[in-house]
Amino acid sequence: MGMNALVTNVLKGIGVNPDRFSLQWASAAEAPRFVKLITEFTSKIKELGPLGQAEGIEPDEMKIRLDKALAAVSSRKVRIVFGNTTKAIRKEGIFTPEYINGVIEEKLTKAITGALTAEPKEEPKPAPEEKAAPKKAAAKAKPAAKKATPKKAAAKAKPAAKKAAPKKAAKKKGSAKKK
């Protein structure tokens, strides 16, 4: 239910009719209910018409608004506020749709509005040559790592073998004492 409230608020924020979104639960054993939900939702969307047309929004503007909505729900601030709000709802233990929608709207309105009005951060993409150059410079700046010689590797392996050997010997001695 919290997700319903979040998406509904975001759709309202970008000027899209929130009736275009529906999240309903139906188990695999509820085939007639599933058919009913899909049929009702499909007829509702047909009544509303194409996305943007019913709202009076041009296709280019609709794309911009949908991109802003995606950026808003992807923003760290909105996700953190949403997560903290759902924790608070679980702690309260009140799970009515009215309560959840009210709490989500109260707590997230500021974060959603801020995320929707924020200018998109577009960083210039470096050219392929620019990507390769820093890697080469970084590789030159780092000193070459010393390679382990076979003798050192063997020396490191021997103590581990010695540690394992006394355990086997101890087991043999223990079994001899028991007899």
Side-chain angles (χ1 to χ4, degrees):
M1 287 193 208
M3 192 60 64
N4 272 343
L6 174 65
V7 173
T8 301
N9 285 332
V10 170
L11 290 176
K12 286 178 188 175
I14 63 169
V16 173
N17 188 339
D19 290 338
R20 292 187 177 276
F21 172 77
S22 178
L23 179 62
Q24 301 289 327
W25 299 101
S27 79
E30 297 178 299
R33 181 180 183 319
F34 178 76
V35 170
K36 180 183 174 193
L37 290 171
I38 296 300
T39 305
E40 288 175 355
F41 185 70
T42 304
S43 65
K44 187 190 312 183
I45 295 300
K46 284 180 181 177
E47 287 175 23
L48 292 172
L51 181 63
Q53 190 176 32
E55 291 86 2
I57 303 170
E58 294 296 320
D60 293 338
E61 177 63 23
M62 180 55 72
K63 173 141 179 38
I64 291 168
R65 291 183 185 193
L66 290 173
D67 288 343
K68 282 187 176 184
L70 178 60
V73 296
S74 299
S75 78
R76 183 180 177 134
K77 183 175 182 177
V78 170
R79 290 181 299 144
I80 288 172
V81 173
F82 182 73
N84 290 338
T85 304
T86 57
K87 283 180 189 176
I89 291 170
R90 276 186 253 133
K91 188 175 180 179
E92 290 293 322
I94 304 171
F95 301 107
T96 62
E98 296 81 20
Y99 178 76
I100 293 172
N101 291 342
V103 171
I104 295 286
E105 190 160 336
E106 175 189 335
K107 302 281 185 181
L108 274 120
T109 300
K110 185 178 177 182
I112 291 170
T113 304
L116 289 174
T117 56
E119 290 298 317
K121 296 177 184 175
E122 290 189 32
E123 296 177 13
K125 296 180 181 177
E129 300 85 36
E130 291 177 313
K131 286 182 182 177
K135 288 181 184 177
K136 288 179 183 176
K140 289 178 183 176
K142 291 181 183 177
K146 294 182 181 179
K147 294 182 181 178
T149 61
K151 290 180 184 178
K152 288 183 181 178
K156 288 180 182 178
K158 285 181 183 177
K162 288 180 183 177
K163 289 179 184 176
K167 289 180 184 176
K168 289 180 184 177
K171 287 181 183 177
K172 289 179 184 177
K173 289 178 185 177
S175 60
K177 289 179 184 178
K178 290 179 184 176
K179 290 182 184 178

